[in-house]
Amino acid sequence: IVFENKVEAIGSDKRPILFKNDLENNYFGTIAVHGLKTEGSIFKNIIIKNASGDFINNINYFSSLSVHSAKNLIFDNLVIKNNSKYDDMMHIIYSKNIKIINSTFLNAYKDSIDVDVSNDVLFENITIKNSGNDGIDFMESQAELNDVKIMLSGDKGVSVGENSNISIVNSIFKSNKYGLASKDSSIATIKESLFENNKIQLSAYKKNWRYDSSGTIKVEDSELSSEKNIITSDKFGDILILSSNINGEIDKKNNVRIINN
């Protein structure tokens, strides 16, 4: 399904709007919101179950829910779960002022959420659990995360890449392979958050030769807790941890500074 005009899809708490295949164990394509004529659309109390992606009108939609070349949209109380085949559960690309609030993403085939070349994206009161790859993957984007919980990601809780600038407040990253990684001229600023039992708590590095520098991470008034808190950068990356509690052994490599006043 591709929506190319303004949509108000509003279910109720007790009777949400459900998108799924008629056959319980079969997968369907995508829900896509595409183009500037969709401005002002609202999706509220929505469940998307067992979707994948699709190729429609010569466009690849790589996710269960795709936001493409749109602006000023609100997604409130989404539940998206159990996607298959395509890379992402939700994909936001070439878009601006997109709000995703009070929502849950479960059991992503690969990334739960992918944000590419988009600005003013807000994630607030979000739970992401059991992603096959990343919880949220950013490329060339600016976003804010507030009260986000990301757990059990097969790779990164949050991947901040390719010249992205991401602000994170009051969030929890637990039992991911990486809590957060910043790479390729990206900046991640984190406050009042918890990194608990991630295999690698924080990492900053350069991966893509097209970008001049490595990643930067600044953590403030937060907590890192693990039997071994691995915090690592390459020789060009920078990780600064200010006024934060670190519980457990600290294993840091290269440009990692820990300053507690």
Side-chain angles (χ1 to χ4, degrees):
I1 302 172
V2 179
F3 297 104
E4 295 181 322
N5 293 291
K6 183 178 177 180
V7 178
E8 292 187 358
I10 302 175
S12 66
D13 289 336
K14 293 183 178 180
R15 298 191 67 183
I17 297 171
L18 173 61
F19 294 92
K20 72 178 185 68
N21 197 298
D22 288 340
L23 299 175
E24 183 64 27
N25 294 320
N26 285 15
Y27 291 88
F28 74 97
T30 187
I31 308 298
V33 186
H34 192 154
L36 295 179
K37 290 182 180 179
T38 65
E39 181 175 2
S41 292
I42 299 174
F43 290 77
K44 184 172 183 179
N45 299 321
I46 304 290
I47 297 173
I48 302 173
K49 180 180 178 182
N50 291 0
S52 55
D54 214 338
F55 182 72
I56 303 172
N57 298 329
N58 294 315
I59 297 172
N60 266 313
Y61 297 104
F62 293 103
S63 58
S64 303
L65 175 61
S66 181
V67 178
H68 197 303
S69 304
K71 66 178 183 180
N72 304 334
L73 307 183
I74 297 174
F75 298 89
D76 185 357
N77 196 22
L78 294 177
V79 177
I80 310 180
K81 57 185 178 180
N82 303 336
N83 70 317
S84 180
K85 188 177 179 180
Y86 284 74
D87 283 353
D88 309 319
M89 190 170 278
M90 182 176 191
H91 186 206
I92 301 168
I93 185 168
Y94 306 135
S95 295
K96 183 177 181 179
N97 190 25
I98 310 298
K99 294 180 171 60
I100 303 95
I101 58 177
N102 309 319
S103 295
T104 302
F105 299 80
L106 301 174
N107 307 323
Y109 173 60
K110 290 189 177 179
D111 293 349
S112 279
I113 303 167
D114 208 342
V115 182
D116 295 331
V117 198
S118 296
N119 297 317
D120 299 326
V121 181
L122 172 67
F123 296 97
E124 185 170 88
N125 189 25
I126 303 296
T127 297
I128 300 171
K129 188 174 182 180
N130 198 33
S131 304
N133 198 52
D134 298 335
I136 309 179
D137 183 8
F138 293 99
M139 181 186 79
E140 294 274 1
S141 294
Q142 287 76 47
E144 296 182 13
L145 282 65
N146 182 19
D147 191 17
V148 172
K149 300 175 183 66
I150 304 179
M151 300 165 283
L152 300 170
S153 301
D155 197 9
K156 302 167 187 70
V158 173
S159 177
V160 184
E162 292 90 358
N163 195 34
S164 291
N165 193 324
I166 308 301
S167 174
I168 299 170
V169 178
N170 188 34
S171 293
I172 296 172
F173 305 88
K174 183 175 180 178
S175 301
N176 306 286
K177 183 177 179 181
Y178 290 77
L180 180 142
S182 177
K183 56 188 184 289
D184 302 327
S185 303
S186 294
I187 299 171
T189 304
I190 303 152
K191 294 184 178 180
E192 298 170 0
S193 295
L194 170 65
F195 292 82
E196 182 177 359
N197 293 330
N198 302 288
K199 185 174 181 181
I200 298 172
Q201 298 278 48
L202 298 166
S203 182
Y205 55 94
K206 181 177 179 180
K207 180 179 179 181
N208 191 324
W209 62 268
R210 295 178 179 85
Y211 294 87
D212 292 335
S213 61
S214 189
T216 299
I217 301 172
K218 181 180 178 182
V219 179
E220 190 171 0
D221 297 324
S222 295
E223 181 176 346
L224 285 72
S225 182
S226 184
E227 184 175 341
K228 180 181 284 189
N229 293 281
I230 299 175
I231 308 164
T232 180
S233 79
D234 61 16
K235 61 182 179 179
F236 301 110
D238 184 58
I239 300 176
L240 173 62
I241 301 173
L242 295 171
S243 304
S244 297
N245 295 322
I246 302 180
N247 301 313
E249 180 184 345
I250 299 172
D251 183 350
K252 62 188 180 76
K253 181 179 180 181
N254 289 323
N255 299 322
V256 178
R257 294 170 291 152
I258 300 172
I259 302 171
N260 286 315
N261 298 326

